[in-house]
Amino acid sequence: MTYEYQTEFTYVADTDPLTGAPVMTAIPQTVRAAKQGIPYNVLSNFGDLFKRENLREAWRLLRKNDPFDYQIQVADAILYSCLNGLGWYFVVQITRQAGKNEISAFLQHYLLLYGWYFGVPVSGVKFAPVYKPQIQASMDRLEGAPTLDSGGLAGSVITSGQAKVDGQPCKYSKSDGYKFHIGPPRDSNKWAFLSINPTANVASQTAYTLLEGDESQDIDADKWERDAQPMGSFNNATTVLWGVAWTKDSFIYRGELMAHDMEDRLEKELGYRPKLVFKIDAYAVIASGNTNYKKAFDNQVARLGMDHIAIQTQYLLKAVDAIGRFFSAEGVARMYSGGFEMQVEPVKGHKYIWACDVAGQEEETTDVEASVGIHKRDALTFIVGDLLRDGTVVPICLYQWVGKQHSKVRDMLPKIIRYWGAIGGVCDGTGIGEPLAYHLKELFDRNNDGLVEAYKFKAAGDESKSKLGYLAYDFNHNDLIKVPKAPEDPDQLELWKELRWQVEHLTREAKRQQTINFYVPANAEPRKPGHVPHDDLVMALFLLMRAARNIDPNTGKATAFDREKSGV
């Protein structure tokens, strides 16, 4: 009998709400073949299901979809080590939304069923940095749901209790909220799911067969070696690190080197080189026949650019240096192209927005004047931007004060905003900047329409520094930020030079869970004698991009507010 299967997904571009990192969500489509599945009774001998040549049929039975070839290749290699007690160390990197967790869930399901059917001890532990959503998602993927189109423990006729295998009931169960079993709950036939964030109190478990680390680019190496790896020691369990590339300091990069070392040792011992490192990038997924993935990947590249850190790491699986320049030379050149000019007064018919990066004030009551870039402390920086109809923002006038009292700033900034007739803006609302930010919001956003935002760098969620950095990447790649050419006005020229220097020396630091930080290093080469490195102007520039994103250039209304009213 011939069965035709297919795996269909719709891919949707999205943004991580915490970090601002671009992400892609795969939405599975219900297909007729997945509803039908393969009836388990087509097997004359149920034990045949576990023959290596029947691996694809086993997947179809347990997962109710058809695997891509790369999924079968990875599963086959890992199962070979597990079932033969070889204790191999695998690193599997798969581009985002290409079925990594589906392979993991199949392995768990297959091995639990194997242990139950043959009466041999089987157990595994899967770790992830965060319990929700990572561990919860892995448990949901293994369990599935009791519906026609769902695989997993609850969706497969074999393990959902709907049928008997060789006269014996085969039903899964769950214990303690994080362990799954086939047959009666016991330690010799279980799969446990645990968080491994650095502060987690890891429960003692035994990985008799397989030890897994999910999103292992974010796992703390010391925590893993101390608390997780020993769980696989008793029976020389196979280890698999799942994830994508990130930095060369990340755990998965170190694991890749360790897996290659094991390949070297095994080649000398066995006379052939087993494959322990799998890197399935976007192009490999596309080559497998997933045409929808090609469309989604091409859209991501068009939107973000091939050099974007997310494209390079999450989709092309290339590890990057933990610290590097924020903007490439090409990115800086793009930002400074366009031939726009600075302005010192408003032009009728233009829409202006503003951004303010807040610095502390001196203890003295007098204002402190200092040459641009010479002052030791960050300055209060204010930028006025011209918001064009296509959403492009042009910073056309720069202001900066060092040590000015905030009481005077509260009177001065509203006058500047009114002079330009600005329709909205963003003010740094972190720490000492909070009173000023909410003062401006009270004056210019009386109806709370979202035209003025108090931006808190240290807050989680929508107001994170990482999100601001990703927004700047998007604006730069899509030519939505254009700095004018050098102005003739001497005061503006000095500020323009300082902004250019800060843009060129801005450093990006890749941190865990796709977060990024950015700053101008204190040891950056000075721009002129006595120059002190700062990032105040570039921070205000990033806040200006945030203001441009918040406001519809055609209506002058807040975009987030409009979406909320329309229910989108």
Side-chain angles (χ1 to χ4, degrees):
M1 184 178 295
T2 301
Y3 298 91
E4 292 184 0
Y5 284 75
Q6 55 183 325
T7 304
E8 292 182 353
F9 295 91
T10 295
Y11 298 94
V12 178
D14 203 351
T15 300
D16 183 272
L18 177 62
T19 67
V23 295
M24 191 161 66
T25 303
I27 304 173
Q29 305 301 303
T30 300
V31 293
R32 180 181 55 81
K35 288 184 176 181
Q36 283 183 268
I38 293 181
Y40 80 100
N41 56 11
V42 301
L43 299 167
S44 57
N45 178 358
F46 190 75
D48 289 343
L49 183 69
F50 301 103
K51 290 181 179 180
R52 196 173 184 183
E53 61 268 24
N54 292 332
L55 190 60
R56 189 177 295 270
E57 298 307 313
W59 182 297
R60 289 167 168 169
L61 260 172
L62 302 182
R63 301 305 306 167
K64 284 192 176 179
N65 60 51
D66 197 36
F68 291 103
D69 288 346
Y70 62 83
Q71 292 178 303
I72 287 295
Q73 290 166 6
V74 172
D76 179 51
I78 295 171
L79 287 174
Y80 180 78
S81 176
C82 289
L83 298 179
N84 290 285
L86 301 178
W88 288 353
Y89 191 100
F90 292 88
V91 171
V92 182
Q93 294 183 33
I94 301 181
T95 178
R96 288 298 186 192
Q97 298 297 314
K100 166 178 61 73
N101 283 328
E102 190 78 357
I103 305 173
S104 177
F106 168 70
L107 292 172
Q108 297 154 7
H109 198 166
Y110 184 101
L111 288 168
L112 284 173
L113 190 60
Y114 181 95
W116 173 83
Y117 183 76
F118 290 107
V120 297
V122 165
S123 70
V125 181
K126 185 172 186 178
F127 288 96
V130 180
Y131 186 83
K132 285 186 178 181
Q134 293 167 349
I135 283 297
Q136 190 65 58
S138 288
M139 290 195 295
D140 290 345
R141 190 66 62 93
L142 172 59
E143 186 170 17
T147 60
L148 290 175
D149 61 337
S150 173
L153 294 167
S156 171
V157 66
I158 298 176
T159 52
S160 61
Q162 301 176 55
K164 293 184 177 181
V165 176
D166 290 353
Q168 299 296 318
C170 179
K171 188 174 183 180
Y172 85 96
S173 60
K174 190 175 181 180
S175 65
D176 300 326
Y178 66 95
K179 292 183 286 189
F180 291 87
H181 316 262
I182 293 181
R186 61 187 190 280
D187 281 344
S188 61
N189 190 259
K190 77 168 189 305
W191 221 274
F193 294 82
L194 299 171
S195 167
I196 195 170
N197 73 66
T199 61
N201 184 17
V202 177
S204 178
Q205 297 292 327
T206 299
Y208 195 82
T209 311
L210 180 60
L211 179 67
E212 302 176 87
D214 193 22
E215 300 294 348
S216 54
Q217 69 277 3
D218 295 325
I219 288 176
D220 181 85
D222 292 337
K223 179 78 170 179
W224 176 271
E225 298 298 347
R226 182 177 64 250
D227 292 347
Q229 196 67 54
M231 293 184 185
S233 300
F234 179 75
N235 192 49
N236 190 32
T238 296
T239 299
V240 182
L241 302 182
W242 306 96
V244 293
W246 190 227
T247 72
K248 295 175 183 177
D249 294 337
S250 62
F251 180 50
I252 199 168
Y253 186 80
R254 194 183 81 166
E256 183 180 338
L257 300 179
M258 294 171 63
H260 280 311
D261 286 344
M262 179 174 276
E263 287 177 340
D264 293 338
R265 296 196 305 271
L266 291 173
E267 185 174 17
K268 295 174 183 176
E269 177 186 332
L270 302 173
Y272 70 94
R273 188 179 183 87
K275 186 173 183 178
L276 304 182
V277 176
F278 291 85
K279 301 185 79 167
I280 299 137
D281 64 14
Y283 294 118
V285 172
I286 292 167
S288 72
N290 192 334
T291 56
N292 282 348
Y293 197 89
K294 181 181 187 308
K295 296 175 185 176
F297 175 68
D298 289 346
N299 287 338
Q300 289 282 70
V301 171
R303 186 169 65 88
L304 303 172
M306 189 62 76
D307 293 332
H308 194 288
I309 188 173
I311 297 294
Q312 290 293 308
T313 59
Q314 311 298 293
Y315 296 94
L316 301 184
L317 308 181
K318 295 179 180 179
V320 299
D321 291 326
I323 297 177
R325 284 289 173 88
F326 191 95
F327 293 112
S328 65
E330 188 271 336
V332 174
R334 179 188 290 121
M335 191 185 306
Y336 281 81
S337 65
F340 293 96
E341 294 186 356
M342 303 285 283
Q343 300 173 25
V344 293
E345 59 183 26
V347 176
K348 187 177 181 179
H350 287 228
K351 287 187 173 69
Y352 296 106
I353 59 175
W354 55 266
C356 182
D357 181 51
V358 181
Q361 62 184 356
E362 301 288 353
E363 293 181 1
E364 294 82 1
T365 58
T366 57
D367 295 342
V368 178
E369 300 295 338
S371 177
V372 174
I374 301 298
H375 49 91
K376 293 183 179 180
R377 63 185 304 158
D378 276 353
L380 188 145
T381 304
F382 190 86
I383 298 181
V384 175
D386 191 356
L387 184 60
L388 307 186
R389 287 189 175 275
D390 64 355
T392 300
V393 61
V394 183
I396 46 89
C397 194
L398 311 175
Y399 297 83
Q400 194 170 78
W401 303 272
V402 179
K404 184 173 283 292
Q405 289 180 293
H406 282 195
S407 59
K408 294 184 178 180
V409 170
R410 286 166 62 97
D411 293 333
M412 177 182 63
L413 291 187
K415 293 177 182 177
I416 296 173
I417 293 171
R418 292 188 179 103
Y419 171 75
W420 285 96
I423 57 177
V426 172
C427 183
D428 170 15
T430 309
I432 198 169
E434 186 173 20
L436 176 60
Y438 282 97
H439 172 66
L440 295 175
K441 186 170 179 63
E442 182 179 351
L443 288 177
F444 297 103
D445 196 19
R446 295 183 183 278
N447 296 322
N448 199 30
D449 288 345
L451 291 172
V452 176
E453 180 184 17
Y455 196 93
K456 297 183 179 180
F457 286 105
K458 295 180 182 179
D462 193 51
E463 297 176 333
S464 72
K465 191 173 183 181
S466 177
K467 188 161 188 175
L468 194 64
Y470 279 114
L471 178 67
Y473 275 134
D474 289 353
F475 265 67
N476 182 233
H477 173 72
N478 292 292
D479 285 329
L480 294 176
I481 178 69
K482 292 294 184 182
V483 181
K485 58 187 180 181
E488 294 181 0
D489 180 277
D491 293 333
Q492 287 291 295
L493 177 60
E494 191 62 19
L495 286 166
W496 183 93
K497 289 179 179 178
E498 177 67 15
L499 174 60
R500 175 83 184 229
W501 182 89
Q502 291 184 17
V503 166
E504 291 177 341
H505 288 80
L506 190 66
T507 295
R508 180 268 304 146
E509 182 180 0
K511 303 173 80 68
R512 288 182 181 169
Q513 297 179 2
Q514 282 189 266
T515 58
I516 56 174
N517 188 22
F518 48 91
Y519 51 87
V520 173
N523 62 352
E525 184 178 355
R527 180 169 66 88
K528 58 184 179 180
H531 180 252
V532 180
H534 293 283
D535 59 10
D536 37 26
L537 277 160
V538 76
M539 292 301 299
L541 183 70
F542 278 29
L543 290 172
L544 190 68
M545 297 182 217
R546 173 79 180 192
R549 195 217 69 165
N550 289 349
I551 299 173
D552 187 313
N554 295 296
T555 65
K557 295 181 180 179
T559 52
F561 186 80
D562 289 347
R563 283 198 301 271
E564 197 172 54
K565 285 184 68 175
S566 63
V568 176

